[in-house]
Amino acid sequence: MLKNPIRVVVTGLGVVAPNGYDKETFYQALLDGKSGIGNVERIEMSNFRTQIAGEVKISFPEMAREHNFDRTVSMACVALDEAFKDSGIDSTYISGLGIRAGMSFATSLGGNSRMMEHLKEELDERKIQPEWLTDLNFFSNYIAKNAGVKGAINSTTSACAAGTAAVGIGFDQIRLGRADVMIVGGSDPLTEFSIAGFHSLRSLSPTGSKPFDENRDGLVIGEGASIFILENYDHALERGAHIYAEIIGYGLSNDAYHITSPDPNGGGAIRAMKMALQDANLRPDDVDYINAHGTSTLVNDKMELNAINEVFQDHAKKISISSTKSMTGHCLGAAGSIELAACVLAVERGFVPPTATLSKPEKDFEEFSLIKSKSVKKPIKVAMSNSFAFGGNTACVILKKADELNVRKGVQFD
């Protein structure tokens, strides 16, 4: 833990998720246990094990043309616009901060939707024209340009842990004094490429995402974007910003085990959670809620709850735990960002989102406080968000309630 670090708070939030295309509809969906998983309209699914996914069923015609039809950028820009309006700042304000404003952005497929289209065309025509590879390098620049960012830009592509890792990186930039404002988040599209990859691993569910359930039979792919405005606490107070929550710690680790399978002993997950707790200067019994990675695969869910049991010991069975992937599907590089948005709203508004499809927990999981079907009203002072990914990448972020932060020097902020 750093000595006297700068405090970092969330002052803006934008969401594009399968079950809510803005912050408030996403919040209501979490309250109601509403799923955005259904039949896919945009991609031909007949050759796959499943015909369902968490698809964002809105179009971006004008924005798509502006950004060369890249869905990653289009969803991110919708979330960015909402985050800006929510925080009361805009691209002109960000530009005026110069190097004191930066961006930390996550994806696993940014540019790949166009890449695969070009690749298929070139294979069909027996051509080799690699210029389209440049798409992979510029998706974050499109977003940074829209945001007016002139400071440092980081792109994180650590698979399904990328969204959570990006928040940690942005958090560090502020608390180390390198920036006053960071735009952080992630975006990932639903593509034939990603679906085919998980189909080849035989990990897709034909029936739905059912984390921790005894009848779970695989994951469901999703898509979406979520972007946060992070600020130096004093900077936020000076401009009278609404403060949602405070980011207080994070941890990054690696299983060093297998390219697609998690360490069954949860080594990386255990290290990431312990690092986050240490970074936040918290005891295990300080944590009220964990938004689990909870993919609904046989191996991941068991590994994660075993890891939680190892880290939290006697407190493990008292913590409220849920997986919002039950409602969104697994949004890959954007998963951690969307799930952190659920945590921010849960902490600010005092509720625990459900594992909406959980009917009967697997026998080994029955002692855990798994939230089923619908949300539960409950004050949450501290929440943890977990993301565990291919390549053994593991990430964890911890945030706390901001009520006590919104009053200082006699000034009340809404």
Side-chain angles (χ1 to χ4, degrees), residues 49-342:
R49 183 171 183 253
T50 185
Q51 277 68 59
I52 60 173
E55 184 177 27
V56 172
K57 293 180 178 177
I58 55 176
S59 59
F60 316 93
E62 294 181 10
M63 189 173 290
R65 280 195 292 273
E66 181 182 347
H67 298 112
N68 299 316
F69 299 94
D70 190 298
R71 194 172 177 84
T72 312
V73 176
S74 295
M75 290 190 296
C77 287
V78 171
L80 173 66
D81 184 58
E82 182 182 20
F84 270 167
K85 290 176 181 176
D86 192 42
S87 67
I89 62 177
D90 56 20
S91 58
T92 302
Y93 183 87
I94 292 293
S95 181
L97 291 176
I99 63 170
R100 301 299 300 173
M103 186 179 83
S104 177
F105 193 77
T107 190
S108 65
L109 292 166
N112 268 314
S113 54
R114 292 192 64 215
M115 179 184 77
M116 294 311 297
E117 291 171 9
H118 285 297
L119 180 59
K120 287 170 66 177
E121 290 171 4
E122 291 176 10
L123 287 175
D124 290 342
E125 299 177 21
R126 300 295 188 271
K127 295 189 298 184
I128 299 175
Q129 294 182 0
E131 304 89 50
W132 46 264
L133 284 172
T134 58
D135 288 344
L136 292 173
N137 301 317
F138 290 120
F139 74 91
S140 56
N141 289 344
Y142 287 134
I143 301 162
K145 180 182 177 182
N146 256 13
V149 175
K150 294 181 178 178
I153 301 172
N154 297 289
S155 299
T156 305
T157 55
S158 50
C160 307
T164 302
V167 172
I169 292 167
F171 169 56
D172 267 346
Q173 288 293 101
I174 296 176
R175 69 170 169 173
L176 294 174
R178 296 170 180 166
D180 293 315
V181 178
M182 288 293 295
I183 297 165
V184 303
S187 178
D188 246 346
L190 187 68
T191 69
E192 187 176 357
F193 175 59
S194 59
I195 296 167
F198 283 94
H199 171 83
S200 68
L201 293 171
R202 300 181 181 179
S203 61
L204 292 177
S205 169
T207 61
S209 176
K210 301 182 286 292
F212 311 122
D213 197 277
E214 66 175 6
N215 294 315
R216 69 191 188 282
D217 56 1
L219 59 82
V220 172
I221 299 294
E223 66 176 346
S226 183
I227 286 181
F228 308 87
I229 306 301
L230 301 188
E231 290 189 57
N232 175 322
Y233 173 46
D234 289 328
H235 184 273
L237 288 176
E238 286 172 7
R239 68 180 194 86
H242 170 71
I243 295 174
Y244 280 93
E246 181 179 6
I247 306 291
I248 56 175
Y250 80 106
L252 303 178
S253 183
N254 195 281
D255 280 344
Y257 177 77
H258 189 271
I259 189 64
T260 58
S261 296
D263 175 0
N265 296 318
I270 290 168
R271 285 188 292 276
M273 286 187 281
K274 284 185 174 180
M275 289 169 67
L277 287 168
Q278 182 178 16
D279 192 34
N281 195 29
L282 294 180
R283 301 184 310 271
D285 59 3
D286 289 323
V287 177
D288 301 305
Y289 168 57
I290 297 176
N291 188 298
H293 187 57
T295 60
S296 186
T297 62
L298 295 176
V299 176
N300 175 86
D301 291 4
K302 185 180 289 290
M303 175 280 294
E304 183 167 12
L305 290 184
N306 286 341
I308 288 171
N309 200 49
E310 173 67 24
V311 172
F312 290 90
Q313 298 290 311
D314 293 341
H315 188 58
K317 307 302 191 297
K318 301 175 184 177
I319 304 170
S320 297
I321 300 171
S322 68
S323 171
T324 48
K325 286 184 177 71
S326 58
M327 295 172 277
T328 64
H330 190 343
C331 299
L332 306 180
S337 303
I338 292 170
E339 289 153 24
L340 186 64

Side-chain angles (χ1 to χ4, degrees), residues 9 77 86 144 152 162 183 256 351 355 414:
V9 293
C77 287
D86 192 42
I183 297 165
F351 76 104
T355 304
D414 295 331

